[in-house]
Amino acid sequence: MNKQGGIVFRKGKYKLRKINRKKSLLSKKRIKLTSWGSLQNGGFEDATPLQAAHWSVSSNDIYFAKNDSALFGKGYAVIALTKGEDAVLSQITLPLEDSNYRLAFWLRRVTTPMDGTITVSLIGSSLLPITYQASLVSYLKWRKFIITINSAALDPGKSHTLSVRFSCNSSSLLLNMDNVTLFPT
């Protein structure tokens, strides 16, 4: 046998052999994803006006609507703030794998002009909060936002809290949010 794991035959020729090793039970275990990846009810489908399954809201400034204005399905979140107000929409993720992730969500601005911020955090990870100006959101059209999360920022096998903070600096902030997804890449 040589150093590469091959068996040496006559005249110096060798044939490589495959070494099969049993994989541990932990490496075979895959975390089951939902339609929204590691999030649940990312389309806000399972919701009453004041509560959506699996989501927490910090105030009544975030409510849930069901109609044909949704981007996907019939449900979406409505964020309605006045000057100086903040509101947070959050959810605890399913346990995350040792992988890079892509967080995506859709926003639509319903009022114009608008001055405010949207800050996305993944609490329990080393991902720094990412802030967008509300003016980046398209007026009356859905726009997709994507955040890539490196596996080094995550604690594999554990849940993290996705937090989206909306802040209003002008007279009003009126946004719609739909189809929040968190998938491994």
Side-chain angles (χ1 to χ4, degrees):
M1 191 180 271
N2 66 7
K3 289 183 180 180
Q4 289 90 16
I7 300 172
V8 178
F9 291 97
R10 285 181 239 153
K11 297 183 182 177
K13 295 182 180 180
Y14 65 91
K15 179 180 178 182
L16 289 176
R17 69 178 181 168
K18 186 177 180 182
I19 299 172
N20 290 327
R21 294 190 178 135
K22 290 184 178 180
K23 292 184 177 180
S24 72
L25 293 175
L26 191 59
S27 66
K28 285 185 177 181
K29 184 180 176 184
R30 298 283 297 176
I31 297 168
K32 186 173 176 158
L33 300 176
T34 69
S35 303
W36 299 279
S38 295
L39 296 174
Q40 299 181 66
N41 192 21
F44 309 103
E45 296 300 315
D46 186 13
T48 64
L50 296 178
Q51 185 177 12
H54 307 287
W55 290 96
S56 296
V57 295
S58 64
S59 71
N60 288 341
D61 295 324
I62 297 177
Y63 60 94
F64 305 96
K66 288 187 176 278
N67 61 40
D68 293 334
S69 295
L71 179 63
F72 298 98
K74 294 273 187 198
Y76 60 96
V78 177
I79 299 90
L81 303 173
T82 57
K83 186 174 184 172
E85 289 185 329
D86 288 350
V88 178
L89 183 62
S90 63
Q91 180 181 145
I92 297 173
T93 69
L94 297 175
L96 301 180
E97 299 173 0
D98 188 16
S99 177
N100 295 336
Y101 277 80
R102 186 183 81 176
L103 172 67
F105 54 93
W106 293 80
L107 292 171
R108 175 178 60 186
R109 186 164 39 113
V110 184
T111 60
T112 188
M114 188 166 47
D115 181 26
T117 58
I118 301 126
T119 304
V120 179
S121 305
L122 196 59
I123 301 166
S125 75
S126 62
L127 178 73
L128 295 174
I130 297 168
T131 301
Y132 297 101
Q133 293 299 316
S135 58
L136 291 175
V137 180
S138 301
Y139 178 62
L140 297 180
K141 292 183 183 177
W142 289 99
R143 178 177 177 198
K144 187 175 189 178
F145 290 81
I146 298 173
I147 299 170
T148 302
I149 303 167
N150 190 305
S151 63
L154 302 173
D155 195 358
K158 295 194 176 178
S159 296
H160 298 70
T161 301
L162 171 66
S163 171
V164 185
R165 176 179 294 279
F166 301 92
S167 300
C168 179
N169 301 331
S170 63
S171 59
S172 67
L173 179 83
L174 186 56
L175 296 170
N176 297 150
M177 184 178 214
D178 201 359
N179 204 46
V180 185
T181 60
L182 181 64
F183 279 104
T185 57

